[in-house]
Amino acid sequence: MKHFLSGILFFTLSLLQAQSVASPSKKITLDFKLTAKGQPTYTVSYKNKDVVQESAMGIKLKEKPALDANFTILGTKNATFNESWKPVLGEQSSIVNHYNELTVSLIQNETNVKMNVIFRIFDEGIAFRYDFPKQTELNYFIISDEVTQFNLTENYKTFWIPGDFDSNEYEYNETKLSEIDNSKIDMNNGIGVKSIPGKHIVQSPLMMKSDAGLYVNIFEAAVVNYPVMHLNVDVNKYKLTAQLVPNAIGDKAYLQTPCVSPWRTIMISDDARDIVSSKMILNLNEPSKIEDTSWIKPMKYVGIWWEMHVGKSTWDYAGSQNATNFADAPKASGKHGATTENTKRYIDFAAKNGFDGVLVEGWNVGWEDWNGNWKEEVFDFTTPYPDFDIAAISAYAKSKNVKMIMHHETSGSVANYERHLDRAFENMVKYDYPAVKTGYVGKIIPRGEFHDGQTMVNHFNFVARRAADYKLMVNSHESSRPTGYGRTYPNYVAAEAARGNEFNAWSVGNPPMHETILPFTRLLGGPMDYTPGIFEIKMSYYDKSKTEQVHTTLAKQLALYVTMYSPIQMAADLLENYEKYPDAFQFIKDVAVDWDESKYLQAEPGDYLTVVRKAKGSESWFLGAITDENARESEIKLDFLTKGQKYKAIIYEDAKNADWKTNPIAYKIRTVTVTSKSKINLNLAPGGGTAISFELMN
Amino acid sequence: MKHFLSGILFFTLSLLQAQSVASPSKKITLDFKLTAKGQPTYTVSYKNKDVVQESAMGIKLKEKPALDANFTILGTKNATFNESWKPVLGEQSSIVNHYNELTVSLIQNETNVKMNVIFRIFDEGIAFRYDFPKQTELNYFIISDEVTQFNLTENYKTFWIPGDFDSNEYEYNETKLSEIDNSKIDMNNGIGVKSIPGKHIVQSPLMMKSDAGLYVNIFEAAVVNYPVMHLNVDVNKYKLTAQLVPNAIGDKAYLQTPCVSPWRTIMISDDARDIVSSKMILNLNEPSKIEDTSWIKPMKYVGIWWEMHVGKSTWDYAGSQNATNFADAPKASGKHGATTENTKRYIDFAAKNGFDGVLVEGWNVGWEDWNGNWKEEVFDFTTPYPDFDIAAISAYAKSKNVKMIMHHETSGSVANYERHLDRAFENMVKYDYPAVKTGYVGKIIPRGEFHDGQTMVNHFNFVARRAADYKLMVNSHESSRPTGYGRTYPNYVAAEAARGNEFNAWSVGNPPMHETILPFTRLLGGPMDYTPGIFEIKMSYYDKSKTEQVHTTLAKQLALYVTMYSPIQMAADLLENYEKYPDAFQFIKDVAVDWDESKYLQAEPGDYLTVVRKAKGSESWFLGAITDENARESEIKLDFLTKGQKYKAIIYEDAKNADWKTNPIAYKIRTVTVTSKSKINLNLAPGGGTAISFELMN
């Protein structure tokens, strides 16, 4: 790791009311100014044109004067930072963190409260945070609102989801900023718990594009001990204001100095690939606090999961889901998925096909009556069903060199989970489970809290930290979306925290453009456990009366392993479906999940994405290309390959007549020999994709 | 243990709208009736005179029809129950549980919801609860209010404290029912967190006395998965209505059928001793769920605690209490109480004087900044201060055959405590601490919850149950007041949960009548860790500028060991104070804390109390007699002693000129030989008391 602090440091007891700092490349400029009323404001320009006009900064406090006016500048400090660091797992083995920094030290008249605003100006965007130094004038405080604004200059095309306090599992809407309106969304979308506070509140990351082709993304980084920030949109003035998620009694955050807010981030580029490949969010997080990270490993896994989604088996032992108490001694229905026998079948499959892990959901007592009733004591996270012999399974998996992945569904009863957490993790250690998939389906307990409030943000982070004490990896589902904390706790390997593939099994599903947007939004904060790899696309395969289906071709499901970065990646379909298509399945067996390099070749949010990645510690490359509902042809150059070497390229692509809706499974596979000078034509069907493996030839 | 179920059981599909049941002695009669609107009501009479007039019953539900009208009687069932059971620790070795029971099965028109009302009529009072059977018509439900009324017939003299949702640490007010008014209380009373919902809401147990000398007590038993019930008083009509403590969003209780409400209890007698000696509350709780109770043992203990209250030492290492973060590496102030050396001094003292245990507060990191700021992460419950060598202390205590008592102050951050609970208990097991004193000073986290809400009731009970898994005893401070759950989890040995002796050190304190009321109120639900035994009564002893003092004589402090039942009883004063008065201290050394028999000889709430108790498994008796601010003389017969035996009676009494205010330490000790035919004169000074030990002579 290289680390150099350079540039000129200076600190001036200045009364200058304005400061300006450019990014290292000079493309982006940040201007800070105090208004006549002493309110801090900022302006951002890209290539000398304003992208964010003068925008207010500050916070409001409960029972104390607001920190949004009457400030004087005590001094300013400039610095340049340029280092590279190595993520434990990642899209690339080394990440450059290069920015110019401006710290503005403010003091408020009369209260004498000191507050700093820290800006970091990167080549792909800017970030700022509020910093509250330790001081007698401000010790404990409660944030009642954040004043932060983002005053945009025009009516961007926007990819948005409602600013729901409890769910981020929405399809994206693609409209103008002026057309944002949560009341117009079809809420028959399969989401169980919804808490939408207003018509014009949307979630971040918010991806936008101007008519002139400028890409702007508003997000946040390092959300630690703070609620999630949604955005309240003034649809007439294109002015966005921070909307913090409240707690049960309406407060936003409880803080004590010294402390900082999360970073508010604005990425800007005229090339969409700069956004999708940016590591700015990760860079804004603290380095790893885990010293020995040798136990944090990438995992490709199969699991007892999709079979419940398609109705072949059940999570619960009784197969009833009828609110019977377990105390009433439910009888086995014969449909229970998580049996010892079935688990061994998955272990055998994993061992045979080179998978690292097996996830089993529904293994533990409680699933007869777990969902939808705000019930506090559902699971104890340690008691297996009578037909799940955890000791025997653990021993069997060990004998096959397969790792078991634990499942902890909390049903939103976080109080209950925290009460049991140590015992649950001890149970994992006892049975040699190195990773846990957590779940938060349902209204939160403590009652009145939301999934995205400070309490829950702290919970998700706490679980990661506690898991690290036990050397366990965490993959959270239905959590608040990550904002780069995986850099600080690299055992927090992935999250769902967006609309995953599962919605395709039993709801209106995810439209073909969905996976082309996620890399510009959800994935900026960290890996997503999207659970790709569904081969039997249509649910009518299982039940003729069903019309639900995955909204992609089979080839696109393969491509998602590359486009949807995660170091823990599921082959989600039933084992028997993989056995029916062994040639296509070969790609899933081959594809890496941890990388030395990644290059985004083509990218347009809502339309398409093509990325190539070099497997960690290997000469193999993998390509994923996906499209939305439109067919797409393009030619790509293979100049990322090592010069002078020959590669065997196996191309998994849509068949000529493939179509996500009418003919989704049709694929073809061809093998060609290529070099860095070769070109390959990508032919994507509507809702289709292409996956390619490049293997160095000797 | 004897157990016999007798009487005639019958179940009738009856349309009778009224039912009447008498207590075994026939003194008390309960009448049940449905009104014309189908509302369940009850009436209670004592010696053929109405004490509770027709009073409404029922509950209101959130988002569902109220269960307080439109009922029809499906049937009724009568039964008689008479057993005796042996508490693990207690005032007596065997408790008789004898009552007549009436179950009224109701069905609501239109909704078809079934609800039963169960009455138990004891000789000293009646109890009833709502029972919600498992049914398709009612599964999950949220209680928004309880309708239960207590329509009294006259303007009783009442011993009341405000119906604060967060604190039960008030002095009692002695007024007529009509004069109850929380707005008239002097709130400069040393209570940190107050949440008083209205002028006329008071707490239960509510002790009352009529002009004619009838004693009435309204309370509840077996508060499990339900909030505490306060009482909303109609001061004109003497009508009391249940006021359940809400949660953060205003809901009262989340329940799922089958379930029951706590018992609502009304004790009635024309002899105050029947109330104070009643075991009705314990009897209404479930028998012990702990099979092996051999590890649950009574304890007399000393501790590092009062020295902080009087300002001799500090809880925190830095001695600052100035909100410095521990991360800033506080330096030892030299005033820290919980040092290894000081702890060893207490262990030596305990070993020398026959005490079972030593409590140490302030042993763990966090006390520099723990209180008053709603801070979530204060303590981790496992990390000792650098000057507290827990391993060495544990070994030293073991070598001296002394047990250490752990202290877990949560500062109200229950979420944080539950997160750490297993580790905290494992730490106790590791270092051989058999008991924990928990503390809940401060506003509750999860924020918005109250000390007396369902969430917290569940927490206190959960801690007891979890502690049982580790074979640990619990003594909770600042918890909701117990309602007999110590029968079900006998390791929940005591609680503070009322205004304890500590208030005398730094506030207006507890008036002399205080300890004469507690046995009629707080102690009905379970033992109180009042921490008696203060010999240096006046705080001016430590600091001439101080005017605070204990509001009793020294002799009364001795008597409290007998009048204030607890199986875990502290000798709270500084060791050096005991060494100054070795003759008086002898009583504390001698007195038992677990009993075979207890007899209340004299009792009048607010005035006086005299009780004698026979030590468990011993022929020794102990007497405690206390008075309020008035001097009191009386003669007592010793007919409780075994006939034909001689006893050495050591009488610890107020000196002639003793007075709690002007001359509190003046005591005298005399020794006489007595038999069951003897009489003894009790001469109690204002705020005074007498303690006597009776030892069998060979």
Side-chain angles (χ1 to χ4, degrees), chain A residues 126-328:
Chain A
I126 69 116
F128 61 87
R129 75 176 356 162
Y130 305 102
D131 171 48
F132 307 94
K134 189 161 178 59
Q135 54 192 296
T136 51
E137 294 79 8
L138 191 69
N139 184 13
Y140 289 93
F141 60 108
I142 299 173
I143 294 184
S144 58
D145 262 315
E146 187 173 317
V147 170
T148 309
Q149 288 180 341
F150 308 85
N151 283 343
L152 302 178
T153 56
E154 57 180 296
N155 196 6
Y156 286 90
K157 178 173 83 176
T158 308
F159 300 89
W160 59 274
I161 60 176
D164 194 314
F165 293 163
D166 266 319
S167 179
N168 41 39
E169 298 191 320
Y170 287 85
E171 306 169 41
Y172 286 92
N173 300 281
E174 183 180 340
T175 75
K176 291 281 184 183
L177 265 178
S178 60
E179 294 160 350
I180 286 173
D181 187 345
N182 291 325
S183 70
K184 292 189 177 158
I185 298 174
D186 181 1
M187 287 296 172
N188 183 23
N189 51 16
I191 297 172
V193 177
K194 302 187 184 89
S195 301
I196 298 176
K199 278 171 74 168
H200 302 132
I201 296 172
V202 299
Q203 300 199 28
S204 75
L206 189 67
M207 186 67 212
M208 294 172 282
K209 186 184 183 184
S210 75
D211 288 342
L214 189 71
Y215 300 89
V216 178
N217 181 294
I218 298 178
F219 190 26
E220 58 180 340
V223 180
V224 177
N225 195 27
Y226 211 86
V228 164
M229 176 183 74
H230 292 340
L231 297 165
N232 200 339
V233 181
D234 181 329
V235 293
N236 299 312
K237 296 182 180 165
Y238 322 136
K239 185 186 290 191
L240 282 53
T241 308
Q243 170 70 53
L244 303 182
V245 176
N247 77 347
I249 55 172
D251 295 336
K252 305 297 167 41
Y254 301 86
L255 297 177
Q256 182 183 13
T257 60
C259 57
V260 290
S261 76
W263 294 97
R264 280 66 188 88
T265 65
I266 306 162
M267 292 189 218
I268 307 167
S269 182
D270 49 19
D271 186 338
R273 295 175 302 179
D274 291 340
I275 310 276
V276 78
S277 65
S278 171
K279 294 291 161 280
M280 197 174 110
I281 302 299
L282 279 181
N283 278 331
L284 288 163
N285 278 268
E286 295 290 312
S288 174
K289 293 191 190 282
I290 302 175
E291 281 200 21
D292 168 20
T293 57
S294 61
W295 49 274
I296 301 171
K297 290 179 180 154
M299 285 183 106
K300 213 159 32 174
Y301 70 103
V302 290
I304 300 177
W305 178 72
W306 190 253
E307 59 181 77
M308 283 85 100
H309 284 283
V310 302
K312 188 190 162 200
S313 63
T314 64
W315 275 272
D316 67 322
Y317 181 69
S320 56
Q321 306 284 359
N322 72 346
T324 306
N325 286 318
F326 191 69
D328 293 338

Side-chain angles (χ1 to χ4, degrees), chain A residues 134 139-140 249 254 256 323 328 369 373-375 418-420 422-423 426 447 462 466 470, chain B residues 134 139-140 249 254 256 323 328 369 373-375 418-420 422-423 426 446-447 462 466 470:
Chain A
K134 189 161 178 59
N139 184 13
Y140 289 93
I249 55 172
Y254 301 86
Q256 182 183 13
D328 293 338
D369 177 22
N373 290 300
W374 227 1
K375 182 176 182 173
E418 293 195 348
R419 242 170 246 147
H420 290 84
D422 279 310
R423 290 180 175 212
E426 280 164 14
R447 295 186 180 92
F462 168 72
R466 191 62 118 206
Y470 292 89
Chain B
K134 190 162 176 58
N139 184 11
Y140 290 93
I249 55 172
Y254 301 85
Q256 182 182 13
D328 293 337
D369 178 21
N373 290 300
W374 226 1
K375 183 176 183 174
E418 293 196 346
R419 242 171 247 147
H420 290 84
D422 278 311
R423 290 179 176 213
E426 279 164 15
R447 295 186 180 90
F462 168 72
R466 191 62 117 205
Y470 292 90

Side-chain angles (χ1 to χ4, degrees), chain B residues 40-305:
Chain B
T41 66
Y42 73 99
T43 306
V44 185
S45 64
Y46 178 81
K47 293 184 177 173
N48 298 318
K49 195 182 161 212
D50 275 3
V51 176
V52 182
Q53 293 177 318
E54 186 173 300
S55 297
M57 309 178 86
I59 59 165
K60 293 191 173 171
L61 305 184
K62 188 175 181 181
E63 296 161 7
K64 286 193 166 92
L67 297 176
D68 65 351
N70 303 316
F71 280 108
T72 305
I73 295 179
L74 265 182
T76 64
K77 191 170 73 171
N78 287 71
T80 292
F81 192 80
N82 193 350
E83 68 156 13
S84 66
W85 58 279
K86 292 187 181 303
V88 177
L89 307 173
E91 292 186 87
Q92 54 206 67
S93 58
S94 181
I95 292 174
V96 172
N97 187 11
H98 188 196
Y99 57 82
N100 292 324
E101 184 173 89
L102 166 67
T103 303
V104 183
S105 297
L106 302 168
I107 187 164
Q108 194 175 40
N109 308 330
E110 293 175 24
T111 68
N112 286 324
V113 170
K114 289 175 282 297
M115 178 176 89
N116 305 321
V117 183
I118 306 174
F119 293 94
R120 290 185 179 172
I121 301 93
F122 298 81
D123 281 341
E124 69 266 36
I126 71 115
F128 60 87
R129 77 177 352 162
Y130 305 103
D131 171 48
F132 307 94
K134 190 162 176 58
Q135 54 192 295
T136 51
E137 293 78 9
L138 191 70
N139 184 11
Y140 290 93
F141 60 107
I142 300 173
I143 294 184
S144 58
D145 262 315
E146 187 172 316
V147 170
T148 307
Q149 288 180 341
F150 307 86
N151 283 343
L152 302 178
T153 55
E154 59 180 295
N155 195 6
Y156 285 90
K157 179 174 82 176
T158 308
F159 300 90
W160 59 274
I161 59 176
D164 194 315
F165 294 163
D166 266 320
S167 179
N168 40 40
E169 297 192 320
Y170 287 86
E171 307 168 40
Y172 286 92
N173 300 280
E174 182 180 341
T175 75
K176 291 280 184 183
L177 266 178
S178 61
E179 294 160 350
I180 286 173
D181 187 346
N182 291 326
S183 71
K184 292 191 177 155
I185 297 175
D186 180 1
M187 287 296 171
N188 183 23
N189 51 16
I191 297 172
V193 175
K194 302 187 185 90
S195 302
I196 298 177
K199 279 172 75 169
H200 302 131
I201 297 172
V202 298
Q203 299 199 29
S204 76
L206 189 66
M207 186 67 211
M208 295 173 283
K209 186 184 183 184
S210 75
D211 289 342
L214 190 71
Y215 299 89
V216 178
N217 181 294
I218 298 178
F219 190 26
E220 57 181 340
V223 180
V224 177
N225 195 28
Y226 211 86
V228 164
M229 176 184 74
H230 292 339
L231 297 165
N232 201 339
V233 180
D234 182 330
V235 294
N236 300 312
K237 296 182 180 166
Y238 321 138
K239 184 186 289 191
L240 283 52
T241 308
Q243 170 69 55
L244 303 182
V245 176
N247 77 347
I249 55 172
D251 295 335
K252 305 296 166 42
Y254 301 85
L255 297 177
Q256 182 182 13
T257 61
C259 58
V260 290
S261 76
W263 294 98
R264 280 66 189 87
T265 65
I266 306 162
M267 292 189 219
I268 306 168
S269 181
D270 48 19
D271 185 338
R273 295 176 302 180
D274 291 340
I275 309 277
V276 79
S277 64
S278 171
K279 295 290 161 278
M280 196 173 110
I281 302 298
L282 279 182
N283 278 330
L284 289 163
N285 278 268
E286 295 289 312
S288 175
K289 292 190 191 282
I290 303 175
E291 281 200 22
D292 168 20
T293 57
S294 61
W295 49 275
I296 300 171
K297 291 177 179 155
M299 285 184 105
K300 212 159 35 174
Y301 70 102
V302 290
I304 300 178
W305 178 72

Side-chain angles (χ1 to χ4, degrees), chain B residues 597-599 601 611-615 618-623 636-651 672-680 692-697:
Chain B
E597 272 184 72
S598 292
K599 293 184 180 181
L601 306 182
V611 60
V612 291
R613 305 189 196 269
K614 183 167 165 291
S618 155
E619 289 302 317
S620 297
W621 286 80
F622 294 86
L623 176 144
I636 55 159
K637 294 177 184 171
L638 305 187
D639 52 6
F640 52 86
L641 296 174
T642 305
K643 285 185 174 50
Q645 299 285 5
K646 280 188 188 171
Y647 293 81
K648 180 172 87 168
I650 309 176
I651 303 168
V672 293
T673 300
V674 297
T675 70
S676 65
K677 293 178 179 169
S678 308
K679 294 172 183 176
I680 286 183
I692 308 178
S693 64
F694 299 93
E695 195 186 333
L696 193 63
M697 297 170 78

